[in-house]
């Protein structure tokens, strides 16, 4: 079965090579006329249409005979390289097949009907005498195997050339997609783990400490016999409880703001700007609300970038710009801080993993001395697995 499959593959590729040889002649003739003619503005559209048709025929041939399915467009460079390879590769394969046929046919004729001449074959240390018919058939079979390898090599060159100019085929795209999804899946798991650690630190260093302080104040007030001291301790406990509530709201807001679901991205970013100790200007240029996953990612990118600018960059002014086109949503955060932000740092790397998991792009431009600009570009549609 494996030998049969291999033979079918060779025949299929051979058909593609010979068809490519015929197309190569047509393409070279077209290029000799269209390439110089494309310099004339009036003729350029007609030349471009002819080029597009020939490239379309090449894509169909590659898909049918070589199993290389692509959708990319190419120019005169691809057609020139493909035509040259097609003509040369087809000529070499046709010549090898012709010679193979002569050897097999001549050897078979000698064995069946001719007077087979004895031919000495000298091997190292051995002298063998065989008939010309046997030698012809043996040589023909050896050349046939070599020709099959040559045909497959030409087919491989055809696929490589198509991959260079037309992009990877569907199998390669699927392999790359699987590798990308595997990497982004592990990345988002790590980002979630990092976020959990950050929440634990916030609870331990903020909420828990204030809770302990509140309990200690109430305990002292409970055991105090001095009404003035008790009143003062209760007042301190009340103030501490207010701080504790503020800390809880802050932690909850950092985990996920309810305003994002209830009022949308514009209102959530307005809340971030209001809470910031540095002036934040938000230019909201989105016509409609993005889908939930994209909206959440845009929010967290903007919020984390603002937090970093305030906490680490010493920024005095921050600008957030949201824009869109037909397929993508883009958020750009700029600040006038000292720069030097590391994309591999904990906060930014987590944001990058979140954006990449949604098939987006994440770019950090932060030279030492500033300014810093962080840009996330995400697709409008939900990512498909």
């Amino acid at each position: 079965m494996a030998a049969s499959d291999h033979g079918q593959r060779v025949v299929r590729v051979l058909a593609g090579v010979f068809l490519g040889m015929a197309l190569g002649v047509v393409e070279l003739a077209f290029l000799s006329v269209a390439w110089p003619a494309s310099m004339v503005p009036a003729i350029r559209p007609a030349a471009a249409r002819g080029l597009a048709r020939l490239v379309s025929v090449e894509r169909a041939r590659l898909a049918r005979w070589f199993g290389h399915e692509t959708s990319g467009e190419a120019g005169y460079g691809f057609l020139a390289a493909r035509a040259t390879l097609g003509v040369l590769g087809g000529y070499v394969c046709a010549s090898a097949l012709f010679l193979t046929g002569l050897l097999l046919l001549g050897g078979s004729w000698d064995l069946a009907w001719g007077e087979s001449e004895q031919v000495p074959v000298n091997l190292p240390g051995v002298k063998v005498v065989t008939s010309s018919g046997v030698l012809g058939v043996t040589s023909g079979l050896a050349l046939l195997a070599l020709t099959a390898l040559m045909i497959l090599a030409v087919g491989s060159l055809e696929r490589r050339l198509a991959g260079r100019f037309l992009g990877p085929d569907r199998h390669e795209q699927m392999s790359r997609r699987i590798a990308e999804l595997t990497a982004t899946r592990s990345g988002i798991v790590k980002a979630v783990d990092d976020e959990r650690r950050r929440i634990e630190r916030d609870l331990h260093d903020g909420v828990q400490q204030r809770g302990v302080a509140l309990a200690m104040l109430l305990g002292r007030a409970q055991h105090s016999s001095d009404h003035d001291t008790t009143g003062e301790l209760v007042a301190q406990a009340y103030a501490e409880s207010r701080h504790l509530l503020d800390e809880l709201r802050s932690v909850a807001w950092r985990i996920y703001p309810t305003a994002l679901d209830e009022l949308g991205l514009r209102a959530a970013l307005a809340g971030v700007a209001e809470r910031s100790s540095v002036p934040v200007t938000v230019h909201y240029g989105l016509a409609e609300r993005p889908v939930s996953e994209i909206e959440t990612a845009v929010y967290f990118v903007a919020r984390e970038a603002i937090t970093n600018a305030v906490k680490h960059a010493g920024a005095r002014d921050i600008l957030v710009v949201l824009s869109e086109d037909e397929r993508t949503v883009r958020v750009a955060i700029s600040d006038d801080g000292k720069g030097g932000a590391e994309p591999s740092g904990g906060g930014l790397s987590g944001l990058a993993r979140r954006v990449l998991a949604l098939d987006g792009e994440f770019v950090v431009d932060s030279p030492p001395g500033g300014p810093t600009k962080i840009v996330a570009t995400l697709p409008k549609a939900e990512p498909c697995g």
Side-chain angles (χ1 to χ4, degrees), residues 289-313:
R289 288 187 63 174
V291 295
S292 177
E293 293 84 354
I294 304 302
E295 186 177 58
T296 302
V298 170
Y299 168 80
F300 278 107
V301 168
R303 196 200 68 188
E304 185 70 22
I306 292 171
T307 301
N308 287 345
V310 174
K311 184 182 298 185
H312 304 296

Side-chain angles (χ1 to χ4, degrees), residues 58-68 78 158 162 166:
E58 283 294 349
R59 282 203 305 267
R61 182 182 68 89
L62 289 165
R64 174 65 180 85
W65 301 108
F66 298 100
H68 188 98
F78 163 71
E158 289 267 17
L166 300 177

Side-chain angles (χ1 to χ4, degrees), residues 28-371:
L28 288 175
F30 169 80
L31 288 171
S32 65
V33 176
W35 203 340
S38 64
M39 304 299 176
V40 181
I43 305 177
R44 191 173 300 156
R49 288 194 295 271
L51 173 66
R53 290 192 182 98
L54 285 175
V55 172
S56 177
V57 171
E58 283 294 349
R59 282 203 305 267
R61 182 182 68 89
L62 289 165
R64 174 65 180 85
W65 301 108
F66 298 100
H68 188 98
E69 299 184 23
T70 60
S71 57
E73 298 295 334
Y76 291 104
F78 163 71
L79 213 59
R82 217 304 308 163
T84 303
L85 174 62
V87 172
L88 292 178
Y91 175 78
V92 171
C93 291
S95 300
L97 281 175
F98 180 74
L99 182 59
T100 300
L102 287 180
L103 289 172
L104 290 175
L105 183 62
S108 300
W109 179 272
D110 285 345
L111 286 176
W113 294 286
E115 295 182 359
S116 188
E117 179 184 355
Q118 298 297 311
V119 179
V121 178
N122 294 321
L123 298 174
V126 180
K127 186 174 182 180
V128 179
V129 178
T130 184
S131 67
S132 60
V134 172
L135 183 61
V137 171
T138 303
S139 300
L141 290 175
L143 186 56
L144 180 63
L146 180 61
T147 302
L149 293 176
M150 291 170 54
I151 292 169
L152 293 177
V154 172
S156 177
L157 288 174
E158 289 267 17
R159 286 189 292 270
R160 286 178 178 272
L161 186 66
R164 168 66 178 82
F165 286 93
L166 300 177
D169 65 358
R170 292 185 179 179
H171 296 292
E172 179 65 20
Q173 289 175 352
M174 185 175 296
S175 298
R176 293 182 183 181
R177 180 60 174 162
I178 291 172
E180 180 184 347
L181 289 174
T182 301
T184 54
R185 183 182 64 179
S186 61
I188 200 63
V189 169
K190 188 176 187 303
V192 170
D193 290 340
D194 291 342
E195 188 69 11
R196 286 173 176 168
R197 294 188 187 96
R198 187 189 64 79
I199 293 170
E200 192 279 333
R201 286 196 301 270
D202 288 344
L203 292 174
H204 180 272
D205 298 339
V207 175
Q208 182 174 323
Q209 297 301 322
R210 292 198 178 276
V212 170
L214 176 60
M216 292 177 62
L217 288 170
L218 291 176
R220 290 173 58 191
Q222 183 181 11
H223 294 92
S224 175
S225 57
D226 186 346
H227 292 290
D228 294 336
T229 302
T230 301
E232 182 180 349
L233 290 171
V234 169
Q236 293 178 16
Y238 173 75
E240 193 64 38
S241 68
R242 296 294 299 270
H243 291 311
L244 176 59
L245 290 175
D246 291 339
E247 192 73 33
L248 283 171
R249 291 192 191 98
S250 177
V251 171
W253 171 73
R254 287 196 295 270
I255 294 173
Y256 194 90
T258 57
L260 187 59
D261 285 335
E262 296 174 356
L263 303 176
L265 182 59
R266 184 197 292 267
L269 290 178
V272 174
E274 290 175 3
R275 290 181 176 90
S276 174
S277 59
V278 172
V280 177
T281 303
V282 178
H283 291 311
Y284 191 90
L286 307 184
E288 298 179 353
R289 288 187 63 174
V291 295
S292 177
E293 293 84 354
I294 304 302
E295 186 177 58
T296 302
V298 170
Y299 168 80
F300 278 107
V301 168
R303 196 200 68 188
E304 185 70 22
I306 292 171
T307 301
N308 287 345
V310 174
K311 184 182 298 185
H312 304 296
R316 293 168 297 177
D317 188 64
I318 301 172
L319 175 64
V320 180
V321 178
L322 290 95
S323 58
E324 64 182 345
D325 56 28
E326 295 181 356
R327 295 184 300 173
T328 62
V329 174
R330 183 174 182 266
V331 57
I333 306 95
S334 306
D335 69 71
D336 59 354
K338 63 183 180 180
E342 288 291 338
S344 59
L348 292 180
S349 62
L351 292 178
R353 286 190 288 265
R354 180 190 287 271
V355 171
L356 292 174
L358 295 171
D359 290 342
E361 296 180 356
F362 187 78
V363 178
V364 178
D365 182 15
S366 182

